Amino acid sequence: MRKAFRMKYEPCKGMCYVAPEVVDLSALGENRSELKRVTQKLLDAHKPICGNEAFSYGIDFDEEHKLYVSSFIHHGKLELFSSTDLIDAIVKLCDCAIEHFNSEEGKAELSKTPGQGNDACEHGRDDDLLKFMIKHSGIETPEGVDRFVATLAK
């Protein structure tokens, strides 16, 4: 298996994302509405875990079986999902995390270990994270990342 995506705050680096571990969204490059939907899910899943070592997300790819395995680690618990499609793996992971953090259990976990919040991470703000995701996503941005991101807002 190889890493396809990671989102975890690491205080030694001050970031939750590093360029080689940014999920490849190039399949959505021509479908702006789907790209916007998926990146919003990633942003929403990121909000509660930013600056918090107690939570992490990952997607690994089993090349032999052509299978993506998503993981969500929270307070000693591991949630796993699988899919043969990367975008489906992302959506399943994000939907689970968002639902979890909206639940009483998720809220209790966050109150127990609130983390440092958006200022702990160089990609902590939605705009910064979105630009980082697009820059390293494999999507062509001939007019620049900032302009591309501005078109998503429309």
Side-chain angles (χ1 to χ4, degrees), residues 33-94:
S33 63
E34 183 66 1
L35 176 63
K36 186 175 180 176
R37 183 182 79 86
V38 171
T39 55
Q40 188 59 56
K41 284 183 180 289
L42 285 162
L43 293 172
D44 291 345
H46 173 258
K47 283 177 187 155
I49 73 165
C50 188
N52 198 322
E53 295 178 80
F55 306 97
S56 69
Y57 305 130
I59 299 176
D60 295 288
F61 183 59
D62 180 342
E63 293 172 302
E64 180 182 348
H65 297 99
K66 307 291 186 230
L67 187 67
Y68 292 94
V69 179
S70 306
S71 59
F72 169 31
I73 299 172
H74 56 103
H75 284 261
K77 298 173 186 151
L78 173 64
E79 312 287 343
L80 293 172
F81 310 91
S82 63
S83 181
T84 57
D85 179 76
L86 176 60
I87 302 304
D88 183 55
I90 295 166
V91 170
K92 284 179 179 178
L93 175 61
C94 290

Side-chain angles (χ1 to χ4, degrees), residues 90-106:
I90 295 166
V91 170
K92 284 179 179 178
L93 175 61
C94 290
D95 284 349
C96 173
I98 292 164
E99 183 178 325
H100 174 73
F101 288 119
N102 285 326
S103 73
E104 292 305 314
E105 179 185 2

